[in-house]
Amino acid sequence: MATVVATSTSTAHPLDPLRAGEITRAWEILRAERRVGPRARAVSIALHEPPKEVVLGHRTGDTVTRAAFVVVMDREAGRTHEAVVSLSEGRVVSWEHVPGVQPAIILDEFFECEAAVRADPRWQEAMRKRGVTDFSLAMVDSWSAGHFPHEGEEGRRLVRALTWIRRNPRDNGYARPVANLITVVDLNEMKVLRVEDHGVVPLPPEDANYSPEVAGSRADLRPIEIRQPQGPSFEVDGHEVRWQKWRMRIGFTPREGLVLHTVTYQDQGRERPILYRASVVDMVVPYGDPRPTYFHRNAFDVGEYGIGTLANALVNGCDCLGEIRYLDAVVNNGAGEATTLPNAICLHEEDAGILWKHFDWRTGYSEVRRSRRLVASFIATVGNYEYGFYWNFYQDGTIQLEVKMTGVISNGAVVPGERPRWGALVAPGVYGPIHQHFFNVRLDMMVDGSQNSVYEVDTVADPPGPENPHHNAFHTEATLLGTEARAQRLIDPLVGRFWKIVNPSRINRVGEPVGYKLMPGENVLPFAGPEAQVTRRAGFMTRHLWVTRYDPRERYAAGDYPNQHPGGAGLPSYAKDDAPLENTDVVVWYTFGAHHVVRPEDWPVMPVAGIGFMLKPVGFFDRNPGLDVPPPIGHHECSHHQ
Ligand SMILES: [Cu+2]
């Protein structure tokens, strides 16, 4: 057994993500102290975030205590443990068995599962029935199994694998889905339990490639260049980013990917906090087809797959354009080794149209300002789909999250002549089921301090009467969301609904508490019924807004272990105690759903579809905070007296 010598760990900031050496050391310490065997898998090794008071009290140069939060899966016993490993003290601080859960599916399992399926004689027989004899051309994706209890499979770590067949190794692998075939695999034993074959459907006849050689290249596009001869206007110091008056830390976890920490805005010499922490903490993609190879498609891409571990290496001029600064991400693999994902996070500035303008048409005096935004982004590939997460910061105090969806739709094959009821044909023999993508973002708010309240604001028409003789009157009504049960809300665009997070003890110069409002964008509700297993497991998607009282254990909208979970975890359970919410440390959780009625234009690779929301200051500043944005250098006519 290796002896682990305790050493002190010094690092710049308590929220810095674990470095490669810290990941491997955490695993070594754990293996040494807890006899974690060689068949144990490291599901996740991430920073054990210190308590808020430690983070907020930290001053540059202070000694930092480092710890790792580790999820370990014992394949022999099918048991999951959570450990906190102190890197500063070189010891395991806590070690807890978490009964009855299945942690996220890890990348190693994807590859091993594909190999196991290809080697299985029952699956091979199903392939031969479909005229496929070169099994190396098969792609097998490990789809999370959901919770559909099947005799003899209780407690097993399952996936329901789907198969596609390439014609040659360079093809779009998702062009030719194998319909009606499900391969159920136990990931701990890494063996196929059963192959369900619901009947042969011919493989779609066409390739669906999209390389320039196949798709062609239009010839009339001239170069566009973003030049910032003096460099970008932001500074990166370790994981801290300063841009304009914004200051934040950029973290990264294997589960969530990019995490924003301690977002503040410099206002008249004061550093004013807005967010303590923000990240997309879960998502789920319910599909609307009830047939055997579709009904279970409900990927929880964050909680079931660890979207951070699937982050792309971004390329300048392709994923981002201009003067880019990248941050690498470091994640663990199943063997507890550190893997660096180079250029996983992109930081850059973009011109964002005009920020404000007025032209005095009597005197000819004109002022115009360009808006610029800082973008912090990453892109993850989860099987067939790409998800890009873009946090945008503006000079008027706005924060925006844009999620960009692209990649290849999840699909199936249909027999010639079939008109699918639960989706659309996208190409001959290829079918895209109707589905939705629900995201949940967790916003640990800190509007000028930790003690905040949340109001729902609707616009209401006044009834006709003596006060409204011309029937034109309307006004806003703000309702305090005073408890966790009352703070489970839906959007209502017809009343201009938004939610306002205020600090009741910080009053602005017009007599109102300072605040930020959450402005919903496009949104939808799930169509899966209340008794559907996906609705039980993703209870968070039944409400667009949830507010909870801060609890460091409440981190994920669908709970800590959504994979194969029977349901009820996450937000519905966090809100059960109906804690009071007024003037306290609140966490705002916003669910936003992209409704995907698949089109032929989504094939063979889908143009980006976007969805998101904004946080905008409302009485947080005394006036337009972008007044002092200067006219662009070299464009004096942007500030012009005739
Ligand atoms: Cu979609």
Side-chain angles (χ1 to χ4, degrees):
M1 190 188 295
T3 44
V4 180
V5 182
T7 53
S8 72
T9 311
S10 76
T11 185
H13 191 275
L15 289 175
D16 285 342
L18 292 188
R19 292 172 302 221
E22 292 177 315
I23 289 173
T24 49
R25 210 169 104 74
W27 190 244
E28 277 170 24
I29 294 168
L30 203 54
R31 290 194 63 178
E33 274 197 36
R34 294 290 149 168
R35 298 175 187 275
V36 170
R39 295 240 321 137
R41 288 196 201 264
V43 177
S44 148
I45 305 176
L47 176 70
H48 181 60
E49 290 178 24
K52 279 189 183 185
E53 53 274 19
V54 171
V55 171
L56 297 173
H58 176 79
R59 297 291 168 264
T60 310
D62 287 358
T63 308
V64 170
T65 306
R66 299 286 279 172
F69 179 73
V70 187
V71 178
V72 187
M73 189 171 59
D74 177 346
R75 272 182 283 179
E76 307 295 345
R79 286 159 70 93
T80 300
H81 283 86
E82 290 178 352
V84 175
V85 179
S86 169
L87 295 160
S88 303
E89 298 168 26
R91 67 184 184 92
V92 178
V93 175
S94 70
W95 171 256
E96 268 177 52
H97 173 228
V98 189
V101 301
Q102 290 296 343
I105 299 160
I106 62 174
L107 202 52
D108 308 42
E109 291 175 315
F110 266 72
F111 294 114
E112 293 169 24
C113 174
E114 184 165 65
V117 171
R118 281 177 178 168
D120 184 80
R122 292 157 291 180
W123 175 88
Q124 292 179 350
E125 182 54 33
M127 289 298 107
R128 282 190 207 97
K129 277 189 193 160
R130 288 160 171 85
V132 176
T133 49
D134 182 353
F135 306 136
S136 74
L137 292 171
M139 292 193 330
V140 181
D141 277 2
S142 295
W143 276 73
S144 54
H147 184 75
F148 299 100
H150 197 276
E151 183 97 36
E153 292 175 1
E154 300 84 359
R156 285 180 181 267
R157 180 168 173 77
L158 301 175
V159 289
R160 298 170 66 90
L162 299 175
T163 304
W164 286 259
I165 305 294
R166 295 180 200 264
R167 218 187 286 272
N168 74 65
R170 288 169 62 89
D171 275 345
N172 171 359
Y174 293 105
R176 301 197 304 150
V178 176
N180 288 347
L181 189 72
I182 290 280
T183 310
V184 180
V185 181
D186 180 317
L187 293 181
N188 278 341
E189 293 182 26
M190 206 46 82
K191 77 169 197 204
V192 174
L193 298 181
R194 61 195 155 89
V195 175
E196 288 178 19
D197 192 342
H198 299 274
V200 174
V201 171
L203 291 171
E206 292 181 1
D207 296 334
N209 292 320
Y210 43 82
S211 64
E213 300 80 57
V214 178
S217 284
R218 58 184 76 179
D220 54 351
L221 206 55
R222 295 178 186 133
I224 191 167
E225 284 177 16
I226 311 297
R227 292 200 322 118
Q228 293 186 276
Q230 298 171 26
S233 313
F234 59 84
E235 281 161 37
V236 183
D237 176 11
H239 288 267
E240 185 182 80
V241 180
R242 289 176 191 240
W243 176 76
Q244 295 286 283
K245 298 178 180 185
W246 291 102
R247 184 175 169 185
M248 70 200 74
R249 306 195 66 83
I250 307 284
F252 196 92
T253 71
R255 179 159 177 164
E256 306 151 280
L258 198 163
V259 177
L260 297 176
H261 297 286
T262 57
V263 177
T264 63
Y265 196 96
Q266 192 84 29
D267 178 33
Q268 300 174 67
R270 278 192 301 148
E271 180 103 8
R272 301 181 63 189
I274 297 163
L275 285 165
Y276 180 77
R277 192 185 193 280
S279 66
V280 174
V281 288
D282 224 320
M283 53 171 294
V284 61
V285 189
Y287 283 80
D289 187 326
R291 292 175 296 173
T293 50
Y294 301 99
F295 71 86
H296 65 95
R297 295 191 199 187
N298 297 140
F300 290 59
D301 297 277
V302 177
E304 287 183 339
Y305 292 105
I307 208 161
T309 61
L310 306 174
N312 294 177
L314 302 176
V315 180
N316 192 1
C318 310
D319 299 293
C320 301
L321 187 59
E323 278 294 320
I324 313 295
R325 298 292 178 269
Y326 294 104
L327 296 176
D328 294 344
V330 188
V331 297
N332 64 286
N333 66 13
E337 296 157 343
T339 311
T340 299
L341 308 174
N343 295 356
I345 297 171
C346 165
L347 293 164
H348 76 300
E349 287 177 286
E350 287 177 355
D351 180 276
I354 63 168
L355 178 63
W356 55 264
K357 170 171 185 162
H358 187 57
F359 169 62
D360 185 329
W361 48 274
R362 287 192 173 80
T363 65
Y365 167 51
S366 170
E367 296 279 3
V368 195
R369 296 296 179 273
R370 299 294 305 170
S371 169
R372 207 181 288 186
R373 63 184 186 188
L374 173 73
V375 185
S377 65
F378 83 106
I379 303 175
T381 302
V382 192
N384 51 296
Y385 254 108
E386 263 74 12
Y387 293 101
F389 298 88
Y390 296 73
W391 287 96
N392 302 325
F393 295 85
Y394 294 85
Q395 292 155 308
D396 68 349
T398 299
I399 302 171
Q400 178 182 36
L401 174 64
E402 282 186 296
V403 179
K404 300 184 184 183
M405 291 160 278
T406 181
V408 185
I409 56 164
S410 184
N411 56 21
V414 294
V415 290
E418 184 190 326
R419 313 298 302 173
R421 172 184 171 88
W422 297 290
L425 288 172
V426 295
V430 187
Y431 155 67
I434 191 168
H435 62 278
Q436 304 178 290
H437 304 251
F438 287 97
F439 303 86
N440 185 275
V441 63
R442 179 179 178 277
L443 303 165
D444 186 348
M445 300 302 300
M446 196 177 172
V447 178
D448 257 353
S450 294
Q451 306 295 106
N452 292 163
S453 301
V454 183
Y455 287 83
E456 178 166 283
V457 183
D458 287 354
T459 296
V460 179
D462 289 45
E467 279 207 315
N468 184 22
H470 308 294
H471 300 209
N472 69 304
F474 56 98
H475 64 281
T476 58
E477 280 181 6
T479 309
L480 175 73
L481 303 178
T483 73
E484 288 176 337
R486 271 179 261 160
Q488 300 178 16
R489 308 299 302 163
L490 299 180
I491 58 157
D492 191 349
L494 299 183
V495 300
R497 178 169 294 171
F498 60 84
W499 295 288
K500 191 165 71 168
I501 302 98
V502 304
N503 185 327
S505 48
R506 295 296 292 270
I507 306 299
N508 62 24
R509 63 179 188 150
V510 294
E512 296 289 335
V514 300
Y516 255 77
K517 64 175 172 177
L518 193 164
M519 297 176 65
E522 179 187 324
N523 214 330
V524 67
L525 277 171
F527 285 85
E531 295 305 316
Q533 70 91 40
V534 68
T535 311
R536 281 185 273 117
R537 295 172 57 227
F540 73 85
M541 69 177 174
T542 63
R543 299 286 184 274
H544 296 122
L545 184 91
W546 303 73
V547 188
T548 59
R549 191 163 64 180
Y550 174 75
D551 180 333
R553 294 163 303 179
E554 297 177 353
R555 294 183 294 170
Y556 304 112
D560 291 348
Y561 297 97
N563 189 19
Q564 294 182 251
H565 198 282
L571 282 167
S573 97
Y574 300 162
K576 248 190 190 131
D577 60 340
D578 197 20
L581 293 174
E582 193 174 6
N583 197 15
T584 186
D585 191 356
V586 296
V587 180
V588 172
W589 312 68
Y590 177 59
T591 303
F592 49 108
H595 194 66
H596 195 170
V597 180
V598 176
R599 311 170 298 159
E601 289 85 349
D602 293 336
W603 190 252
V605 62
M606 180 184 146
V608 163
I611 191 160
F613 70 96
M614 285 196 284
L615 284 171
K616 266 184 181 290
V618 51
F620 187 79
F621 299 105
D622 286 342
R623 56 183 64 76
N624 177 352
L627 281 189
D628 61 345
V629 171
I633 294 162
H635 290 273
H636 301 295
E637 60 278 22
C638 298
S639 175
H640 177 73
H641 287 271
Q642 202 172 43

